[in-house]
């Protein structure tokens, strides 16, 4: 039994030294206090706060010390907070459609926007969306709200998109006579009727019928509905006003664009054009402020680079273009809840009103394309063993490096003192 105990004592890697042989110094005491404070701070940093300068400083200590258990892991995560793991994978859902909500992500891509035009009235501002598959949404009105703004940015009126309801005061019938008491009103579409039964009972109906035909209205005053509703007068009354438009679009998950521009849009000989003749203006100020633009739902850490962007037009007219690369993103929290969303990067370009011989359409255009790479963020808690390993690395690394520093100071002082005694120190 004694031999076994003797063998176990021989395996002791921590031999004890009699206290009579200890030599305690002032520098050693200062180093001990400093290293203890450093270990406490780094322990708290590892326990509660994100990686910081302190944990980076610790990594240097651990790298120097060969006793460090896991120096590379010290800056990798937290214990009381979840760590986020990032992965890049190929997006195999390209070519499908995408709806940004948890229940049906693979339907449509939802674009949320809030844009202010300080010098463009709501009555002339329209929104179009189209993509490379050929699908078009012209003069979008659903899920969109417009706010009329005065020159100081104060809200005058909030309304769903549209120019207002007609004032019926003996309007002109399609057959040419005036509306009588016992008749049902059916206004003329001025040659733009698709069938003989079609009626255009408001200026907006006539403009829509002309848009579908690919025609432009050169003089609204010759249109009875527009004249009765005071279309031109309303535009003049809103001169100098601005417009805040917000809402959302649902578009296919393919490359495309959506844009804000004055006038109704239509296709003419396969070209997308806007009817600007009705407004009788030579230039349009498309200065704008993007309050918010997102291609999906919010998730922790998301940054939308166009939020808060402001641009002021200096040229008489032109087209402002944003080229956006959309990156599909999946965020999973520690409880397993998944948020399907998107991030994006953007570049900008302005085309003046006259580029070569082609006139560019005045407006703000957002051209988007989807990246083939999907980003996944997964929140995970740090295991207790991982945390324990990091704590041991903190204690061992700081203790070892502080021991090296103490030994250097002690032997340096001793060497200097010896030279002073021999009279060789100068």
């Amino acid at each position: 039994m004694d031999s076994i105990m003797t063998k176990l004592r021989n395996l002791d890697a921590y031999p004890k030294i009699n206290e009579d042989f200890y030599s305690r110094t002032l520098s050693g005491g200062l180093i001990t206090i400093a290293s203890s404070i450093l270990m406490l701070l780094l322990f708290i940093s590892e326990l509660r706060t994100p990686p910081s300068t302190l944990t980076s400083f610790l990594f240097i200590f651990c790298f120097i010390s060969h006793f460090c258990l896991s120096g590379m892991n010290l800056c990798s995560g937290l214990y009381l907070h979840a760590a986020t793991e990032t992965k890049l994978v190929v997006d195999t859902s390209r070519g499908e459609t995408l709806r940004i909500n948890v229940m049906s992500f693979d339907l449509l891509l939802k674009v949320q926007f809030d844009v202010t035009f300080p010098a463009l009235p709501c009555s002339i501002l329209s929104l179009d969306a189209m993509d490379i598959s050929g699908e078009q949404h012209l003069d979008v009105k659903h899920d969109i709200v417009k706010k009329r703004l005065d020159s100081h940015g104060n809200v005058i009126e909030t309304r769903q998109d549209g120019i207002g309801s007609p004032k019926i005061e003996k309007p002109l019938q399609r057959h040419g006579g005036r509306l009588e008491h016992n008749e049902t009103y059916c206004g003329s579409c001025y040659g733009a009727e698709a069938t003989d039964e079609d009626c255009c009972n408001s200026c907006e109906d006539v403009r829509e019928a002309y848009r579908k035909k690919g025609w432009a209205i050169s003089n609204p005053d010759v249109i009875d509905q527009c004249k009765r509703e005071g279309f031109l007068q309303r535009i003049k009354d809103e001169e100098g006003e601005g417009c805040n438009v917000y809402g959302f679009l649902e578009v296919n998950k393919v490359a495309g664009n959506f844009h804000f521009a004055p006038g109704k849009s239509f296709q003419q000989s396969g070209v997308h054009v806007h009817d600007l003749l009705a407004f009788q203006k030579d230039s349009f100020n498309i200065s704008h402020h993007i309050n918010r633009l997102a291609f999906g739902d919010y998730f922790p850490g998301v940054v939308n680079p166009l939020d808060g962007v402001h641009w002021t037009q200096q040229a008489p007219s032109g087209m402002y273009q944003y080229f956006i690369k959309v990156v599909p993103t999946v965020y999973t929290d520690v409880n397993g809840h998944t948020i399907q969303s998107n991030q994006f990067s953007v570049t900008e370009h302005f085309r003046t009103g006259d580029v070569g011989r082609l006139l560019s359409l005045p407006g703000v255009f957002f051209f988007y394309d989807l990246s083939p790479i999907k980003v996944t963020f997964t929140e995970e808690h740090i295991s207790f063993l991982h945390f324990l390993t990091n704590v041991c690395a903190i204690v061992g690394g700081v203790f070892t490096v502080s021991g090296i520093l103490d030994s250097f100071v002690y032997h340096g002082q001793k060497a200097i003192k010896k030279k002073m005694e021999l009279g060789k120190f100068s």
Side-chain angles (χ1 to χ4, degrees), residues 130-271:
M130 56 197 69
D131 59 46
I132 59 173
S133 69
E135 184 168 334
Q136 297 186 13
H137 303 272
L138 303 181
D139 198 19
V140 180
K141 296 182 183 297
H142 55 81
D143 301 317
I144 294 174
V145 176
K146 290 181 178 180
K147 292 182 180 180
R148 291 175 57 194
L149 306 176
D150 61 20
S151 57
H152 302 289
N154 301 315
V155 178
I156 301 174
E157 178 188 11
T158 301
R159 66 189 181 198
Q160 288 292 122
D161 194 13
I163 199 166
S165 57
K167 301 175 183 177
I168 303 297
E169 295 176 358
K170 283 188 174 289
L172 187 67
Q173 290 279 53
R174 186 176 62 180
H175 55 68
R178 290 289 173 177
L179 177 67
E180 301 298 335
H181 292 292
N182 58 349
E183 289 183 322
T184 301
Y185 177 53
C186 180
S188 172
C189 295
Y190 294 86
E193 298 90 345
T195 65
D196 292 339
E197 290 76 24
D198 285 349
C199 300
C200 294
N201 296 339
S202 67
C203 182
E204 189 70 14
D205 291 343
V206 177
R207 295 177 68 207
E208 182 66 16
Y210 266 59
R211 183 192 67 79
K212 291 179 180 179
K213 285 285 188 178
W215 299 347
I217 298 178
S218 59
N219 185 7
D221 276 344
V222 302
I223 307 297
D224 181 67
Q225 293 90 324
C226 296
K227 186 176 181 179
R228 284 187 294 103
E229 296 175 23
F231 178 81
L232 288 179
Q233 185 60 43
R234 183 180 292 109
I235 293 175
K236 292 178 181 178
D237 292 343
E238 294 186 9
E239 187 73 28
E241 290 184 6
C243 185
N244 170 241
V245 54
Y246 63 91
F248 66 89
L249 286 172
E250 291 179 335
V251 295
N252 291 326
K253 194 183 176 185
V254 295
N257 82 83
F258 62 95
H259 55 269
F260 301 91
K264 275 191 172 292
S265 58
F266 54 88
Q267 292 293 118
Q268 189 175 70
S269 302
V271 179

